[in-house]
Short mmCIF file of all heavy atoms in Angstrom, two decimals:
data_model
loop_
_atom_site.label_atom_id
_atom_site.label_comp_id
_atom_site.label_asym_id
_atom_site.label_seq_id
_atom_site.Cartn_x
_atom_site.Cartn_y
_atom_site.Cartn_z
N ILE A 197 -17.69 -18.47 -14.38
CA ILE A 197 -17.16 -17.11 -14.39
C ILE A 197 -15.65 -17.22 -14.59
O ILE A 197 -14.94 -17.76 -13.75
CB ILE A 197 -17.49 -16.36 -13.09
CG1 ILE A 197 -19.02 -16.24 -12.94
CG2 ILE A 197 -16.85 -14.98 -13.08
CD1 ILE A 197 -19.47 -15.52 -11.69
N HIS A 198 -15.19 -16.72 -15.73
CA HIS A 198 -13.78 -16.85 -16.11
C HIS A 198 -13.08 -15.51 -15.92
O HIS A 198 -13.46 -14.51 -16.53
CB HIS A 198 -13.66 -17.28 -17.57
CG HIS A 198 -14.28 -18.62 -17.86
ND1 HIS A 198 -13.56 -19.77 -17.96
CD2 HIS A 198 -15.58 -18.97 -18.05
CE1 HIS A 198 -14.37 -20.79 -18.21
NE2 HIS A 198 -15.60 -20.33 -18.28
N SER A 199 -12.05 -15.51 -15.09
CA SER A 199 -11.26 -14.30 -14.83
C SER A 199 -9.88 -14.48 -15.45
O SER A 199 -9.19 -15.46 -15.14
CB SER A 199 -11.13 -14.08 -13.31
OG SER A 199 -10.35 -12.96 -13.03
N PRO A 200 -9.45 -13.57 -16.34
CA PRO A 200 -8.15 -13.73 -17.01
C PRO A 200 -6.99 -13.80 -16.02
O PRO A 200 -6.92 -13.03 -15.07
CB PRO A 200 -8.04 -12.47 -17.88
CG PRO A 200 -9.45 -12.04 -18.08
CD PRO A 200 -10.17 -12.39 -16.81
N GLY A 201 -6.07 -14.71 -16.28
CA GLY A 201 -4.88 -14.84 -15.44
C GLY A 201 -4.96 -16.02 -14.50
O GLY A 201 -6.04 -16.46 -14.12
N LEU A 202 -3.79 -16.53 -14.12
CA LEU A 202 -3.69 -17.61 -13.15
C LEU A 202 -3.66 -17.04 -11.75
O LEU A 202 -3.58 -15.82 -11.55
CB LEU A 202 -2.43 -18.43 -13.41
CG LEU A 202 -2.32 -19.05 -14.81
CD1 LEU A 202 -0.93 -19.67 -15.00
CD2 LEU A 202 -3.40 -20.09 -15.05
N LEU A 203 -3.71 -17.92 -10.75
CA LEU A 203 -3.54 -17.46 -9.38
C LEU A 203 -2.14 -16.87 -9.21
O LEU A 203 -1.20 -17.32 -9.87
CB LEU A 203 -3.72 -18.64 -8.41
CG LEU A 203 -5.14 -19.15 -8.20
CD1 LEU A 203 -5.11 -20.43 -7.38
CD2 LEU A 203 -6.02 -18.12 -7.52
N PRO A 204 -1.98 -15.86 -8.35
CA PRO A 204 -0.64 -15.32 -8.10
C PRO A 204 0.31 -16.42 -7.66
O PRO A 204 -0.10 -17.39 -7.01
CB PRO A 204 -0.88 -14.31 -6.96
CG PRO A 204 -2.30 -13.91 -7.10
CD PRO A 204 -3.02 -15.15 -7.57
N GLN A 205 1.57 -16.28 -8.03
CA GLN A 205 2.55 -17.32 -7.73
C GLN A 205 2.63 -17.58 -6.23
O GLN A 205 2.67 -16.66 -5.42
CB GLN A 205 3.92 -16.91 -8.25
CG GLN A 205 4.93 -18.04 -8.22
CD GLN A 205 6.06 -17.79 -9.20
OE1 GLN A 205 5.85 -17.68 -10.40
NE2 GLN A 205 7.27 -17.68 -8.69
N GLY A 206 2.66 -18.87 -5.89
CA GLY A 206 2.74 -19.27 -4.49
C GLY A 206 1.40 -19.51 -3.84
O GLY A 206 1.32 -19.99 -2.71
N ILE A 207 0.29 -19.19 -4.56
CA ILE A 207 -1.05 -19.39 -4.02
C ILE A 207 -1.72 -20.55 -4.75
O ILE A 207 -1.74 -20.59 -5.98
CB ILE A 207 -1.91 -18.12 -4.17
CG1 ILE A 207 -1.30 -16.98 -3.38
CG2 ILE A 207 -3.34 -18.36 -3.72
CD1 ILE A 207 -1.29 -17.19 -1.89
N THR A 208 -2.26 -21.50 -4.00
CA THR A 208 -2.99 -22.61 -4.59
C THR A 208 -4.49 -22.36 -4.46
O THR A 208 -4.92 -21.46 -3.73
CB THR A 208 -2.65 -23.93 -3.87
OG1 THR A 208 -3.12 -23.85 -2.50
CG2 THR A 208 -1.14 -24.18 -3.86
N VAL A 209 -5.28 -23.16 -5.16
CA VAL A 209 -6.73 -23.06 -5.05
C VAL A 209 -7.16 -23.28 -3.61
O VAL A 209 -8.03 -22.58 -3.08
CB VAL A 209 -7.42 -24.07 -5.99
CG1 VAL A 209 -8.93 -24.09 -5.75
CG2 VAL A 209 -7.12 -23.74 -7.45
N GLU A 210 -6.53 -24.24 -2.95
CA GLU A 210 -6.87 -24.52 -1.55
C GLU A 210 -6.56 -23.30 -0.67
O GLU A 210 -7.35 -22.95 0.22
CB GLU A 210 -6.09 -25.74 -1.06
CG GLU A 210 -6.48 -26.17 0.35
CD GLU A 210 -5.73 -27.41 0.81
OE1 GLU A 210 -4.87 -27.90 0.04
OE2 GLU A 210 -6.02 -27.89 1.92
N ASP A 211 -5.42 -22.65 -0.91
CA ASP A 211 -5.09 -21.44 -0.14
C ASP A 211 -6.19 -20.38 -0.31
O ASP A 211 -6.64 -19.78 0.67
CB ASP A 211 -3.76 -20.85 -0.63
CG ASP A 211 -2.56 -21.71 -0.29
OD1 ASP A 211 -2.64 -22.48 0.69
OD2 ASP A 211 -1.55 -21.63 -1.01
N ALA A 212 -6.58 -20.15 -1.56
CA ALA A 212 -7.56 -19.10 -1.84
C ALA A 212 -8.89 -19.39 -1.17
O ALA A 212 -9.54 -18.49 -0.62
CB ALA A 212 -7.74 -18.94 -3.35
N THR A 213 -9.31 -20.65 -1.20
CA THR A 213 -10.60 -20.98 -0.60
C THR A 213 -10.56 -20.98 0.92
O THR A 213 -11.60 -21.01 1.57
CB THR A 213 -11.09 -22.36 -1.10
OG1 THR A 213 -10.09 -23.35 -0.81
CG2 THR A 213 -11.36 -22.33 -2.59
N HIS A 214 -9.34 -20.93 1.49
CA HIS A 214 -9.21 -20.85 2.95
C HIS A 214 -8.87 -19.43 3.42
O HIS A 214 -8.53 -19.22 4.58
CB HIS A 214 -8.14 -21.82 3.45
CG HIS A 214 -8.61 -23.25 3.49
ND1 HIS A 214 -8.60 -24.06 2.38
CD2 HIS A 214 -9.13 -24.00 4.49
CE1 HIS A 214 -9.07 -25.26 2.70
NE2 HIS A 214 -9.40 -25.25 3.97
N GLY A 215 -8.94 -18.47 2.50
CA GLY A 215 -8.81 -17.07 2.91
C GLY A 215 -7.43 -16.47 2.76
O GLY A 215 -7.21 -15.33 3.17
N VAL A 216 -6.47 -17.21 2.16
CA VAL A 216 -5.15 -16.62 1.92
C VAL A 216 -5.29 -15.58 0.80
O VAL A 216 -5.81 -15.90 -0.27
CB VAL A 216 -4.12 -17.69 1.53
CG1 VAL A 216 -2.78 -17.04 1.20
CG2 VAL A 216 -3.95 -18.69 2.66
N SER A 217 -4.85 -14.37 1.05
CA SER A 217 -5.04 -13.29 0.09
C SER A 217 -3.71 -12.66 -0.30
O SER A 217 -2.97 -12.19 0.56
CB SER A 217 -5.96 -12.21 0.67
OG SER A 217 -6.11 -11.13 -0.22
N VAL A 218 -3.40 -12.68 -1.60
CA VAL A 218 -2.23 -12.00 -2.13
C VAL A 218 -2.72 -11.15 -3.31
O VAL A 218 -2.87 -11.65 -4.42
CB VAL A 218 -1.14 -12.99 -2.61
CG1 VAL A 218 0.04 -12.22 -3.21
CG2 VAL A 218 -0.67 -13.86 -1.46
N PRO A 219 -3.04 -9.88 -3.09
CA PRO A 219 -3.60 -9.06 -4.16
C PRO A 219 -2.67 -8.94 -5.35
O PRO A 219 -1.49 -8.62 -5.20
CB PRO A 219 -3.80 -7.69 -3.48
CG PRO A 219 -3.85 -7.99 -2.02
CD PRO A 219 -2.93 -9.16 -1.82
N ARG A 220 -3.20 -9.22 -6.54
CA ARG A 220 -2.41 -9.06 -7.75
C ARG A 220 -2.32 -7.59 -8.14
O ARG A 220 -1.33 -7.15 -8.69
CB ARG A 220 -3.06 -9.87 -8.89
CG ARG A 220 -2.44 -9.60 -10.26
CD ARG A 220 -3.14 -10.34 -11.37
NE ARG A 220 -2.64 -11.69 -11.50
CZ ARG A 220 -3.36 -12.78 -11.32
NH1 ARG A 220 -4.62 -12.68 -10.96
NH2 ARG A 220 -2.83 -13.97 -11.47
N ASN A 221 -3.39 -6.84 -7.85
CA ASN A 221 -3.48 -5.44 -8.24
C ASN A 221 -3.62 -4.58 -6.98
O ASN A 221 -4.73 -4.38 -6.49
CB ASN A 221 -4.68 -5.23 -9.16
CG ASN A 221 -4.64 -6.15 -10.37
OD1 ASN A 221 -3.69 -6.14 -11.14
ND2 ASN A 221 -5.67 -6.98 -10.52
N LYS A 222 -2.50 -4.10 -6.46
CA LYS A 222 -2.52 -3.47 -5.15
C LYS A 222 -3.25 -2.13 -5.13
O LYS A 222 -3.93 -1.80 -4.15
CB LYS A 222 -1.09 -3.31 -4.62
CG LYS A 222 -0.45 -4.64 -4.27
CD LYS A 222 0.73 -4.49 -3.33
CE LYS A 222 1.19 -5.86 -2.83
NZ LYS A 222 2.30 -5.76 -1.87
N LEU A 223 -3.12 -1.34 -6.19
CA LEU A 223 -3.84 -0.07 -6.23
C LEU A 223 -5.35 -0.29 -6.30
O LEU A 223 -6.13 0.38 -5.62
CB LEU A 223 -3.39 0.76 -7.44
CG LEU A 223 -2.29 1.80 -7.23
CD1 LEU A 223 -2.04 2.55 -8.53
CD2 LEU A 223 -2.64 2.77 -6.12
N LEU A 224 -5.76 -1.22 -7.15
CA LEU A 224 -7.18 -1.54 -7.24
C LEU A 224 -7.71 -2.08 -5.92
O LEU A 224 -8.79 -1.72 -5.47
CB LEU A 224 -7.41 -2.58 -8.35
CG LEU A 224 -7.48 -2.05 -9.78
CD1 LEU A 224 -7.49 -3.21 -10.76
CD2 LEU A 224 -8.71 -1.19 -9.96
N PHE A 225 -6.92 -2.97 -5.31
CA PHE A 225 -7.34 -3.59 -4.06
C PHE A 225 -7.51 -2.56 -2.95
O PHE A 225 -8.49 -2.58 -2.21
CB PHE A 225 -6.30 -4.64 -3.66
CG PHE A 225 -6.61 -5.36 -2.38
CD1 PHE A 225 -7.55 -6.36 -2.33
CD2 PHE A 225 -5.95 -5.02 -1.20
CE1 PHE A 225 -7.84 -7.03 -1.15
CE2 PHE A 225 -6.22 -5.67 -0.01
CZ PHE A 225 -7.17 -6.68 0.01
N SER A 226 -6.55 -1.62 -2.83
CA SER A 226 -6.59 -0.68 -1.72
C SER A 226 -7.59 0.45 -1.94
O SER A 226 -8.10 1.03 -0.98
CB SER A 226 -5.20 -0.10 -1.47
OG SER A 226 -4.72 0.58 -2.62
N ASN A 227 -7.90 0.77 -3.19
CA ASN A 227 -8.82 1.87 -3.47
C ASN A 227 -10.22 1.41 -3.85
O ASN A 227 -11.19 2.14 -3.62
CB ASN A 227 -8.25 2.76 -4.59
CG ASN A 227 -7.04 3.54 -4.14
OD1 ASN A 227 -7.15 4.54 -3.43
ND2 ASN A 227 -5.85 3.10 -4.53
N GLY A 228 -10.31 0.22 -4.41
CA GLY A 228 -11.61 -0.28 -4.83
C GLY A 228 -12.56 -0.54 -3.67
O GLY A 228 -13.79 -0.56 -3.85
N ILE A 229 -12.01 -0.68 -2.47
CA ILE A 229 -12.84 -0.96 -1.30
C ILE A 229 -13.82 0.18 -1.02
O ILE A 229 -14.84 -0.01 -0.35
CB ILE A 229 -11.94 -1.23 -0.07
CG1 ILE A 229 -12.75 -1.88 1.05
CG2 ILE A 229 -11.27 0.06 0.41
CD1 ILE A 229 -11.89 -2.43 2.16
N HIS A 230 -13.53 1.36 -1.56
CA HIS A 230 -14.40 2.51 -1.35
C HIS A 230 -15.48 2.63 -2.42
O HIS A 230 -16.33 3.52 -2.35
CB HIS A 230 -13.58 3.79 -1.31
CG HIS A 230 -12.48 3.76 -0.28
ND1 HIS A 230 -12.73 3.77 1.07
CD2 HIS A 230 -11.13 3.67 -0.42
CE1 HIS A 230 -11.58 3.71 1.72
NE2 HIS A 230 -10.60 3.66 0.85
N LEU A 231 -15.47 1.70 -3.40
CA LEU A 231 -16.46 1.74 -4.47
C LEU A 231 -17.18 0.42 -4.69
O LEU A 231 -18.28 0.40 -5.25
CB LEU A 231 -15.79 2.16 -5.79
CG LEU A 231 -15.31 3.62 -5.88
CD1 LEU A 231 -14.44 3.82 -7.11
CD2 LEU A 231 -16.50 4.57 -5.90
N LEU A 232 -16.57 -0.68 -4.27
CA LEU A 232 -17.15 -2.00 -4.48
C LEU A 232 -17.38 -2.69 -3.14
O LEU A 232 -16.68 -2.41 -2.16
CB LEU A 232 -16.23 -2.85 -5.36
CG LEU A 232 -15.99 -2.34 -6.78
CD1 LEU A 232 -14.90 -3.15 -7.47
CD2 LEU A 232 -17.27 -2.39 -7.60
N PRO A 233 -18.35 -3.61 -3.08
CA PRO A 233 -18.69 -4.25 -1.80
C PRO A 233 -17.76 -5.39 -1.42
O PRO A 233 -17.99 -6.55 -1.79
CB PRO A 233 -20.12 -4.75 -2.05
CG PRO A 233 -20.17 -5.02 -3.52
CD PRO A 233 -19.28 -3.98 -4.16
N TYR A 234 -16.69 -5.09 -0.72
CA TYR A 234 -15.83 -6.13 -0.16
C TYR A 234 -15.11 -5.59 1.05
O TYR A 234 -15.05 -4.36 1.27
CB TYR A 234 -14.82 -6.66 -1.20
CG TYR A 234 -13.74 -5.68 -1.60
CD1 TYR A 234 -12.48 -5.73 -1.02
CD2 TYR A 234 -13.97 -4.73 -2.58
CE1 TYR A 234 -11.48 -4.84 -1.39
CE2 TYR A 234 -12.98 -3.83 -2.96
CZ TYR A 234 -11.75 -3.90 -2.37
OH TYR A 234 -10.76 -3.02 -2.74
N THR A 235 -14.55 -6.48 1.87
CA THR A 235 -13.92 -6.07 3.12
C THR A 235 -12.42 -5.93 3.00
O THR A 235 -11.79 -5.22 3.78
CB THR A 235 -14.20 -7.09 4.24
OG1 THR A 235 -13.59 -8.35 3.88
CG2 THR A 235 -15.71 -7.29 4.42
N GLY A 236 -11.80 -6.64 2.03
CA GLY A 236 -10.35 -6.61 1.91
C GLY A 236 -9.64 -7.52 2.89
O GLY A 236 -8.43 -7.48 3.02
N ALA A 237 -10.41 -8.38 3.59
CA ALA A 237 -9.82 -9.26 4.60
C ALA A 237 -9.47 -10.64 4.07
O ALA A 237 -9.01 -11.49 4.82
CB ALA A 237 -10.77 -9.41 5.79
N GLY A 238 -9.69 -10.86 2.78
CA GLY A 238 -9.41 -12.18 2.20
C GLY A 238 -10.48 -13.20 2.50
O GLY A 238 -10.29 -14.39 2.28
N SER A 239 -11.64 -12.75 2.96
CA SER A 239 -12.71 -13.68 3.36
C SER A 239 -13.75 -13.88 2.28
O SER A 239 -14.74 -14.58 2.50
CB SER A 239 -13.40 -13.14 4.62
OG SER A 239 -13.94 -11.84 4.39
N GLY A 240 -13.55 -13.28 1.10
CA GLY A 240 -14.57 -13.34 0.06
C GLY A 240 -14.91 -14.74 -0.41
O GLY A 240 -16.08 -15.15 -0.36
N LEU A 241 -13.89 -15.51 -0.84
CA LEU A 241 -14.18 -16.85 -1.32
C LEU A 241 -14.67 -17.78 -0.22
O LEU A 241 -15.61 -18.54 -0.44
CB LEU A 241 -12.95 -17.43 -2.03
CG LEU A 241 -12.60 -16.79 -3.38
CD1 LEU A 241 -11.38 -17.47 -3.99
CD2 LEU A 241 -13.77 -16.87 -4.33
N PRO A 242 -14.04 -17.77 0.99
CA PRO A 242 -14.61 -18.60 2.05
C PRO A 242 -16.06 -18.24 2.35
O PRO A 242 -16.89 -19.12 2.61
CB PRO A 242 -13.71 -18.29 3.26
CG PRO A 242 -12.41 -17.93 2.65
CD PRO A 242 -12.76 -17.16 1.40
N ARG A 243 -16.39 -16.95 2.34
CA ARG A 243 -17.76 -16.54 2.63
C ARG A 243 -18.71 -16.98 1.50
O ARG A 243 -19.82 -17.40 1.75
CB ARG A 243 -17.83 -15.03 2.83
CG ARG A 243 -19.20 -14.55 3.28
CD ARG A 243 -19.16 -13.14 3.89
NE ARG A 243 -18.52 -12.19 3.02
CZ ARG A 243 -17.31 -11.67 3.25
NH1 ARG A 243 -16.62 -12.05 4.32
NH2 ARG A 243 -16.78 -10.80 2.43
N ALA A 244 -18.23 -16.90 0.27
CA ALA A 244 -19.05 -17.32 -0.86
C ALA A 244 -19.42 -18.78 -0.78
O ALA A 244 -20.52 -19.20 -1.18
CB ALA A 244 -18.31 -17.04 -2.18
#
């Protein structure tokens, strides 16, 4: 699954897999929670 763009600056793959969350798209992140199944707590990749 290929998602366009690199990780946000300052975030490593290890950070992301341990739950560090730096939203690239703040409006999508804060409003999408009401339409898509996620918690917004940065636990998605660790839970996956």
Side-chain angles (χ1 to χ4, degrees):
I197 298 180
H198 299 260
S199 178
L202 302 172
L203 287 172
Q205 191 158 299
I207 298 295
T208 65
V209 173
E210 185 178 3
D211 291 334
T213 56
H214 283 83
V216 177
S217 177
V218 178
R220 171 184 275 117
N221 305 302
K222 291 200 171 182
L223 265 183
L224 279 171
F225 180 78
S226 60
N227 290 283
I229 196 168
H230 304 291
L231 290 169
L232 297 171
Y234 69 98
T235 64
S239 59
L241 290 181
R243 186 162 52 252

